[in-house]
Amino acid sequence: MSSVVGAVIAREYLQRVRTRTFLVGTIGLPLLMLALFVVSALMAGSGGSAERSLALVDRTGVLESGVAARLAAAGFEVESVEPGSVAEEELESRLLDGSLGGALFLESGTLEVGSARLRGVSVPSLLRRIGIQQAVSQTALEVRLVASEEGPALAALLSGGELHLETVGAGREDTADEDGTTAMVAGFAGAFLLYVVLLVYGTMVLRAVLEEKTGRIAEIILSSMRPGQLMLGKIVGVGAVGLTQLAAWILFGAILLGTGIPAMLPFFPEGGLGFDLRAHLPGAGVFAFFGLCFLVGYFLYASLFAAVGAMCSTEEEAQQLQFPVVMLVVVPIVFLAPVLDNPTTSWAMGLSLFPFFSPILMFARVAAGAAPVWEAALSVVLMLATLMGTAWVAGRIYRTGILMQGKRPTLPELWRWVRYG
Amino acid sequence: MQDAALRLHAVTKDFGTFRAVDALDLEVPRGSIYGLLGPNGSGKTTTIRMIMGILGPDTGRVELFGDDPARTRREKVGYLPEERGLYRRMKVLEHLVFLGRIRGVDGRAASRKATDWLERLGLGDRAQKRVEDLSKGMQQKVQFIGTVLHDPELLVLDEPFSGLDPINQDVLEEIVLEYHRKGTTILFSTHLMHQAERLCQRVCLISNARKVLDGPLEELKRNEADGIVAIDFEGPDAWIGGPEVLRSEVAGAGVRIQLQAGADPQPLLERAVAAGARIRRFQVEEPRLHEIFVRHAGSRVGSAPGTQGAAARPAEAAVHPGALP
């Protein structure tokens, strides 16, 4: 018997993994993202070398070193030019022949109100203007502060200060000094990824069932196995494709994080992304819960999608009938932002314990560090219990529906299918 | 008979308030070609689906090779449903291996057999093509191969010849006869009486969910004979007449004789020979299966009882077998 289900699983898996769409989605998509990443890094970091070159003419006499350092950190090639020198007179012609991107003049007003002059043949990009302006105003501020009595003490303020986060609550001391935003980002990104894969692979199950039904192939297969076995084979086969894709993406992410980003760091201005990404990754527990949420959530939705597929006879009908099931996946995404904003409220807890929302919302709360272990465990138990129910109902609908052609069932008919199977 | 490949015991199936099959008993002897005949909507497909375990009977029992069908069905039965279909995007050979595997044949053996069959049916060069790239006729051949890949002991074919082009009808008939010679039992349903008449040894006529008649085809025909004997002869004709003869009608070089009900035509032949007539043709006319069917099912399917011929063609029932209510 199991070899029969195995044949169905193997067919479903191999047929899908070998398609071009799967290859593009699994390998092409991350490659595309990587390419975008690299290109944008290269463009932000290097640009044209002439465009990045900047002559600095400091008439105040005190700002040159500070501004030059800040501009260099922002990715400019700075060349200091003595005011009134021959070199200054040559600046205009160098700007015109394109060997110089711009000339920045720091004058008397600079120290007073932070005004400076930038001469060039074209207007630089907004980001560059902001970078230049900040380099100038921060340096001016620093110089003036240092000149005052309390100056040195205020240097820390100038650098932006620091917010120490402390949370109070039983059993959560361990997360008290963590940076909440990265956990939040992990929750948001993970929940969104779950949403995408659950929806994509759920509807794939629907189409697989529909293909079997409209292609009139179901009857041959059902003469050698029970409908439940066929449904299970389909769901497991498609799910294995989903797992393969997720695994490929995670592997790719790990490679990127482990070797790709460090290799690219030199291309970034200001010496990298400003923080070490790896230190902000969620822990193994969150990853494990992600996998669990995917598996249980997938089976939960896939059984429903399979039942919908078995009820329909055409693609159009399926489009309409899948709507309620799709809503079960979409609604938690609507609640995702509010729940992550107030992850410890009772309504957030309630929503995330609702079994059809749990895969997305409970994962988000766990990743954000806002759900204690017992809540996560309870949600898994509830999901599994619901899964047994949906699998039973879906199995009965599937059993009858897969052989029906023509009009789709009315609700009372559907009820009869479930009751008498 | 002890040695039945398939037995149905009072099998009944309802769909809501509609009774699709009503207390049907059926016995298909091992090695026979058995026809399940009836108009569209009479319950043939539902019966076959119950034999194949796709539907469960509400009451009654199906027995395969004297055993519970669940255990033997997968390996021993080959099934060609009325609604035929294949995965369009799969490669031909791969598809056949899949069909073999779900019937319990291991992958390598299935691949070998499928390759042989493809060669035999002239599709050897299509093994690596996708099903959708094949012509409809070729797809039908692939479907036959999928049905017999596991060398079943019982072939169940639901309206096997409908929708086939003439060439493939011959191909399928050849495959069926080949398996018959190997001892395989064959059960097929059809509403085409002439096809059944040519192939079947035994038939079961069903109409409106009920069995009307069943038994060996020859016996049915004999029982249903109208007692008309057509004789072409030369020489004396004084022998015409006697206790068996109800009336006679001379036409050209022959005579048509209507026998008394239940009379044996043999003494008539003996008298004719004794009288010195040269017999060129002596034929006890048998009714066509179609006429037998109409005679028995006609009243049930809405035709006037007792009428014969084209006027009494079985009406097509409103329910399509594929569309279960």
Side-chain angles (χ1 to χ4, degrees), chain A residues 38 47 62 133 336 369:
Chain A
V38 168
V62 288
Q133 180 138 30
L336 181 60

Side-chain angles (χ1 to χ4, degrees), chain A residues 11 38 47 59 100 120 127 161 166 183 216 233 296 321 348 353 367 370:
Chain A
R11 193 204 79 84
V38 168
R59 297 215 167 88
L100 190 65
L127 273 177
E166 288 175 11
R216 314 290 163 113
V296 182
L321 243 65
L353 279 175

Side-chain angles (χ1 to χ4, degrees), chain B residues 174-190:
Chain B
E174 203 179 296
I175 295 177
V176 166
L177 290 175
E178 182 186 320
Y179 272 87
H180 171 62
R181 284 190 291 271
K182 285 204 291 188
T184 306
T185 313
I186 290 144
L187 168 72
F188 75 91
S189 78
T190 184

Side-chain angles (χ1 to χ4, degrees), chain B residues 299-322:
Chain B
S299 58
R300 292 176 187 277
V301 294
S303 307
T307 54
Q308 290 181 18
R313 272 197 60 164
E316 300 232 326
V319 184
H320 187 269

Side-chain angles (χ1 to χ4, degrees), chain A residues 186-383:
Chain A
F188 202 89
F192 208 78
L193 187 59
L194 275 172
Y195 160 75
V196 171
V197 287
L198 287 176
L199 203 57
V200 165
Y201 285 95
T203 49
M204 198 180 279
V205 168
L206 184 147
R207 282 202 306 276
V209 171
L210 200 62
E211 177 200 8
E212 223 142 66
K213 193 176 160 174
T214 56
R216 314 290 163 113
I217 177 108
E219 191 162 349
I220 294 179
I221 300 175
L222 288 180
S223 69
S224 60
M225 67 185 78
R226 281 180 274 120
Q229 291 178 312
L230 175 59
M231 184 170 122
L232 181 71
K234 293 247 112 172
I235 291 179
V236 171
V238 172
V241 180
L243 269 184
T244 307
Q245 188 152 62
L246 270 182
W249 284 347
I250 287 170
L251 185 72
F252 187 85
I255 292 172
L256 188 66
L257 232 49
T259 63
I261 289 185
M264 279 188 301
L265 285 185
F267 294 107
F268 285 88
E270 295 189 34
L273 299 169
F275 61 95
D276 183 2
L277 245 181
R278 270 169 289 179
H280 292 264
L281 276 183
V286 173
F287 272 104
F289 195 65
F290 179 87
L292 196 63
C293 280
F294 170 72
L295 280 182
V296 182
Y298 169 74
F299 277 102
L300 200 57
Y301 297 125
S303 59
L304 295 179
F305 275 116
V308 170
M311 279 156 60
C312 304
S313 300
T314 63
E315 193 80 32
E316 291 75 32
E317 247 172 42
Q319 292 289 347
Q320 288 175 15
L321 243 65
Q322 71 176 352
F323 181 73
V325 185
V326 169
M327 283 315 284
L328 286 179
V329 194
V330 172
V331 167
I333 276 296
V334 175
F335 284 119
L336 181 60
V339 163
L340 274 174
D341 256 350
N342 308 285
T344 48
T345 55
S346 54
W347 57 265
M349 177 180 148
L351 280 174
S352 63
L353 279 175
F354 180 60
F356 289 108
F357 296 171
S358 289
I360 289 170
L361 290 183
M362 188 55 83
F363 169 76
R365 290 181 63 229
V366 165
V373 174
W374 71 265
E375 273 185 39
L378 177 62
S379 77
V380 172
V381 170
L382 286 177
M383 279 193 281

Side-chain angles (χ1 to χ4, degrees), chain B residues 4-131:
Chain B
L6 168 71
R7 268 204 197 101
L8 303 192
H9 301 278
V11 164
T12 299
K13 181 75 188 176
D14 291 330
F15 296 112
T17 55
F18 174 76
R19 177 148 291 187
V21 176
D22 192 3
L24 182 66
D25 290 306
L26 205 68
E27 182 166 303
V28 179
R30 229 179 251 248
S32 64
I33 303 186
Y34 198 102
L36 188 59
L37 316 180
N40 290 330
S42 56
K44 301 188 299 289
T45 293
T46 304
T47 303
I48 283 180
R49 283 181 168 179
M50 286 190 286
I51 293 169
M52 293 313 300
I54 295 164
L55 295 173
D58 293 333
T59 59
R61 195 160 53 87
V62 177
E63 204 179 278
L64 270 180
F65 302 103
D67 203 355
D68 176 10
R71 246 171 294 168
T72 46
R73 187 183 289 125
R74 188 156 59 91
E75 278 94 8
K76 290 192 176 175
V77 184
Y79 177 43
L80 186 67
E82 185 185 13
E83 301 278 9
R84 293 179 275 266
L86 297 165
Y87 290 113
R88 296 204 338 275
R89 303 181 69 78
M90 264 183 115
K91 287 180 181 161
V92 170
L93 183 59
E94 240 177 349
H95 201 312
L96 287 172
V97 170
F98 170 71
L99 289 176
R101 283 191 64 194
I102 62 170
R103 289 287 181 190
V105 186
D106 84 273
R108 209 167 303 160
S111 176
R112 191 160 19 84
K113 277 190 180 150
T115 309
D116 288 350
W117 269 108
L118 287 171
E119 285 295 339
R120 217 188 107 180
L121 298 187
L123 296 173
D125 54 336
R126 308 295 167 120
Q128 295 305 325
K129 287 268 191 304
R130 283 177 184 218
V131 170

